[in-house]
Amino acid sequence: MDFFDDILIKEALNQKFAFITIKAKDHVLYLTLNRAEKKNAIHPHMVHEIAFAMQFAKQTSAIRAIVIAAAGDVFCAGADLKAFMGMVGEFDSSIPQAKEEVLIGELFNKVHKPIITKVEGSVFAGGFFFLAGANYVVCNDGIKLGLPEVKRGLFPFQIMAALLEIMPKRIVVDWCIRGFDLDVGDAQKHGLVTHIVTPKTIDKTVDDLLDEIKENSPTAIRLGLEALDSMSPQESKHKYLMEMLRKTVSSKDGAEGLLAFKEKRKPVWTGE
């Protein structure tokens, strides 16, 4: 670790985060979603904090891999729609607001470091950004993997685009249309999950992967992932798909779906 890396690491670890925690150990950045009381729902400023952590990892040569995990029994329940519609609430973070909109679907390919997502709890909706954007997904058997948006009058636009990069088209579209829970075994068969584990073996599996990664040339890996990134441009897709999500949320069916979910009743669709 050189002097510049040491300064970057100390500066990053001294930041105040409202929605995540980070630590650096043995050339690995550990990023944990830390909003368990809200089922780690994605807040707009959480995206800014994740973007900061990813940029830190990218710029720090001592960081050779990233592990993403989550506090609590739900890995991520998806987007915090109220917050994304402007009701962000109060939070204490030293990470500044970005000058331009940060799209979470674009963050993971840009870091050019191997990413392992450690999934110990259920994943829903926007939580699949963390799985689709990773190089390895180590997942406890038996957890729920759900895309329930259509049951709320919404559609997983950006998640669909992210999943289509790694899963068969008909499987992804069917999942989005019917909104079911995908079995972990099927998720592995279709390419979303790379390792199925148990709570007792998950840490060892992640550590074994990290050991293998760190045995290889970090420069070769970084340049290889940079090349892969340049071959798969998606920036324009995610901007457009975010606008489509906003349009769906503001529709009558979108409002009815969210209200019905809140009131624990079956929605009455109008097609508007």
Side-chain angles (χ1 to χ4, degrees), residues 247-260:
K247 183 176 180 180
T248 309
V249 170
S250 63
S251 69
K252 289 185 178 179
D253 269 1
E256 166 62 12
L258 293 173
L259 182 62

Side-chain angles (χ1 to χ4, degrees), residues 2-22:
D2 62 25
F3 180 69
F4 179 65
D5 277 345
D6 189 49
I7 291 175
L8 280 177
I9 289 173
K10 286 181 179 178
E11 181 180 343
L13 296 180
N14 286 333
Q15 296 295 324
K16 175 72 174 180
F17 295 97
F19 302 104
I20 68 172
T21 64
I22 65 170

